[in-house]
Amino acid sequence: LYTLAMFNLIIEAVYFVLMFILSMVLLRNVKRENRLRQKATEHKQLHEYMESLERVNKDMQKFRHDYQNILLTMQGYIDHNDFQGLKSYFSERIVKVEERALKSNYQFTQLEKLELIELKGLFANKILLAEELGIMINMEVPDPIETIAMDIIDLTRIIGILVDNAIEAS
């Protein structure tokens, strides 16, 4: 009876050690999978942010080209001494276009204070999407944001849904 109890105790100890080892391996794999998922999300957000920056850069190149054309059209008004036409053209065409460009640039300067690349990419992408749909977005980041005490994947998912819903409702 004593040997049977000892054998049973040894089996339970081996079982406990094996369960502990299996639990540790499983926990390590889950942590590794979460890190890989987070890295993939970071990579995706960085890619979206880079695409947003490329679009802004293309818009700036287009603006430079448009700016040259605007100066040439203004030159036509000046050559014909049509200052009333120039005034009208300037206030109705140039100022309105410039206001849109300034508002767009202001939104992107607000992202400078957001140091979380995942959120920066998400917001840049959503700002451009809203602008393409003709929806004005006002976003303010008054203080630098370096860390958030929340899983970044969950946070980007929540914010993405909220902003998508706001854009859709607009």
Side-chain angles (χ1 to χ4, degrees):
L1 185 67
Y2 175 75
T3 52
L4 186 60
M6 283 304 283
F7 181 71
N8 196 14
L9 184 63
I10 291 172
I11 296 255
E12 286 179 13
V14 168
Y15 177 74
F16 176 74
V17 168
L18 288 176
M19 289 304 292
F20 180 76
I21 291 171
L22 185 61
S23 297
M24 295 305 291
V25 168
L26 185 61
L27 183 63
R28 191 179 77 209
N29 285 340
V30 167
K31 284 182 179 180
R32 184 182 312 142
E33 187 177 311
N34 283 339
R35 275 195 308 264
L36 290 174
R37 193 176 310 134
Q38 185 172 357
K39 290 290 183 190
T41 300
E42 289 174 7
H43 181 70
K44 179 184 172 198
Q45 295 295 337
L46 180 61
H47 182 72
E48 289 176 358
Y49 181 63
M50 293 303 294
E51 285 178 350
S52 299
L53 289 178
E54 287 174 6
R55 280 191 258 173
V56 168
N57 189 28
K58 286 179 184 176
D59 287 345
M60 289 301 292
Q61 289 174 350
K62 181 182 170 191
F63 177 76
R64 284 188 199 119
H65 183 262
D66 290 345
Y67 181 70
Q68 290 173 343
N69 290 335
I70 288 169
L71 290 177
L72 290 174
T73 57
M74 291 174 67
Q75 183 65 43
Y77 284 107
I78 293 170
D79 288 345
H80 289 92
N81 290 326
D82 184 6
F83 294 109
Q84 186 60 36
L86 177 61
K87 184 177 179 181
S88 173
Y89 176 76
F90 183 79
S91 64
E92 292 178 14
R93 303 283 181 149
I94 297 173
V95 172
K96 288 181 182 176
V97 170
E98 190 63 27
E99 283 177 356
R100 282 195 305 252
L102 286 174
K103 286 179 184 176
S104 176
N105 288 339
Y106 175 74
Q107 294 300 330
F108 283 101
T109 59
Q110 288 295 307
L111 292 179
E112 289 176 2
K113 296 177 185 174
L114 184 59
E115 297 180 19
L116 299 171
I117 193 70
E118 301 89 353
L119 287 179
K120 188 180 280 193
L122 177 71
F123 279 124
N125 199 6
K126 299 302 180 184
I127 288 170
L128 289 174
L129 174 66
E131 284 181 358
E132 288 172 4
L133 296 172
I135 299 169
M136 292 303 300
I137 289 183
N138 185 17
M139 183 179 82
E140 293 183 23
V141 184
D143 298 319
I145 299 174
E146 298 171 358
T147 60
I148 294 180
M150 182 177 179
D151 182 52
I152 196 68
I153 295 171
D154 293 337
L155 182 61
T156 55
R157 197 174 288 149
I158 291 168
I159 290 176
I161 291 169
L162 288 172
V163 174
D164 284 341
N165 288 345
I167 290 172
E168 206 172 287
S170 295

